[in-house]
DNA sequence: TATAAAAGTTAGATTAGTCTAACAATTATT
DNA sequence: AATAATTGTTAGACTAATCTAACTTTTATA
């Protein structure tokens, strides 16, 4: 049985090497930043995870998940996203509240519990932030994703998902920017990336820090990779 | 914020000094047995809890809860029993499966979460084993309770609650003895306490280890303390 | 009441996960 | 290619929760 901590390392590794598609391996420093611990701690821990055959790693090298590690990590994410869905759809929590709670609930191990919960929620495909929920086998829909910071000026897009971080969600709430909402980039400042967007009947100027955390699809065809217009 | 472990100590103390009404204080050895750790460990831990004003204790003395400790412990029990109710009534778990899972879920701290869950379950008064659920203020219905091992031969009783231990519940399942079922003691052996009981259309011989864990009320008046017949 | 038994404490060790500080290897830059 | 910057490792220390073994206090009993 994996500890809380080990599960958090595997979860972070899935996020860094599976979801962020640039590379399927990651350095110790990057992982440390992501987990908010020091590199020294990560060095020790990945050695331990390697001894359990959960990651591939050797001294001074990059870290990547073994298939077992990937499965274990994926199951943590499955639990996280299912609990978020429960909190939101059954207990009426808002989307910016569920993340913190799910951080704790995701470590309840029982597979039977999580499968029953899945059934109780009617096998949801997406969590309240628009992210796909891995199935019982750890498989997940990994759509090609484009963020609001990448798309061209002028073309209508729709917000499909938002990175699951309390601050992002709260900020979006404050400026009344919602999931599934249509949004257009009016202007993007080359100098600092400040971006003017219109949506509903509002216009806001937002920073790259925000736009990098919002995923969009073409408003016409619904795809992230499209050739419309 | 209390650790898992500290919460378990407080929970055990509530069980030993509030629910088991004999005494409102308990020795280190007893507590150690109950928590399945060594007395030395408990010695250290109660000193720590005393420094946090959660228990009253001095060297070589008995341990008892302060009002703050009692409240904290009661909240753990509230969470435990509400999660048990959720697992049983919403996810369809059987009464002998819920205890283990609730042992983990009870340590999720958010008060908001537990109050929402309470509401979602429609403010249940009892958990699946028939035990009262403490309210938001940590108050609980503490009925006078009599066990199957204490009642007289011949008189009809009804099972009102069962001590929340997986083995007890599984054993009861095996002999088809259920909560709310009427039961009569046919004979109790003075030598070893072996007891012959009839219920439904069955007769079983059971040990004191079982009868001490089953709570009953008079089948006529529904009270544990009655003067019927 | 003296002594034996039971109950409780202390000291020192262990494990997991973390840290800091000093060092080593790798990568980038001039 | 030499050196600087970045990245990663090691050693040693700390905390929480546990253990064992030796010791002390309290309680029960002969």
């Amino acid at each position: 049985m994996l500890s809380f901590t080990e599960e958090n390392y595997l979860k972070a590794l899935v996020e860094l090497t599976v979801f962020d598609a640039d590379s399927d391996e990651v350095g110790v420093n990057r992982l440390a930043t992501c987990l908010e611990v020091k590199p020294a701690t990560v060095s020790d821990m990945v050695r331990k995870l390697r001894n359990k055959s959960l990651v591939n790693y050797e001294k001074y090298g990059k870290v990547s998940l073994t298939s077992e590690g990937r499965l274990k990590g994926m199951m943590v994410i499955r639990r996280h996203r299912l609990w978020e869905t429960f909190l939101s759809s059954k207990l009426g929590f808002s989307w910016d509240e569920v993340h913190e709670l799910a951080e704790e609930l995701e470590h309840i191990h029982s597979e039977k519990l999580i499968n029953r919960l899945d059934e109780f929620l009617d096998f949801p495909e997406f969590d309240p932030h628009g992210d796909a929920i891995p199935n019982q086998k750890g498989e997940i829909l990994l759509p090609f994703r484009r963020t609001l910071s990448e798309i061209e000026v002028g073309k209508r897009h729709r917000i499909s998902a938002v990175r699951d971080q309390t601050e992002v969600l709260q900020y979006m709430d404050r400026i009344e920017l919602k999931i599934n909402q249509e949004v257009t980039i009016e202007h993007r400042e080359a100098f600092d990336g400040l971006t003017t967007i219109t949506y509903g009947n509002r216009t806001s100027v937002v920073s790259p820090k925000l736009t990098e955390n919002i995923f969009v699809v073409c408003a016409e065809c619904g795809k992230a990779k499209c050739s419309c217009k």
Side-chain angles (χ1 to χ4, degrees), chain A residues 167-216:
Chain A
E167 320 82 60
V168 174
L169 303 169
Q170 283 176 349
Y171 185 30
M172 286 181 64
D173 249 18
R174 224 152 46 236
I175 63 171
E176 291 173 342
L177 188 54
K178 296 179 181 50
I179 210 164
N180 280 322
Q181 192 161 40
E182 292 202 359
V183 60
T184 309
I185 302 214
E186 297 302 329
H187 175 73
R188 186 183 287 117
E189 186 57 53
F191 172 59
D192 53 12
L194 276 195
T195 304
T196 310
I197 56 175
T198 59
Y199 52 98
N201 43 21
R202 288 194 54 153
T203 297
S204 297
V205 176
V206 294
S207 70
K209 186 159 179 199
L210 182 68
T211 56
E212 282 161 9
N213 284 294
I214 298 178
F215 300 101
V216 292

Side-chain angles (χ1 to χ4, degrees), chain A residues 12-25:
Chain A
L13 280 165
V14 171
E15 275 155 7
L16 292 169
T17 68
V18 182
F19 296 168
D20 277 11
D22 342 344
S23 164
D24 62 350
E25 52 177 31

Side-chain angles (χ1 to χ4, degrees), chain A residues 90-110:
Chain A
K90 301 293 179 179
L91 300 193
F93 279 94
S94 65
W95 77 343
D96 58 319
E97 295 174 297
V98 298
H99 178 70
E100 305 281 348
L101 290 168
E103 287 289 300
E104 295 194 57
L105 286 160
E106 73 190 10
H107 299 290
I108 310 283
H109 290 97
S110 164

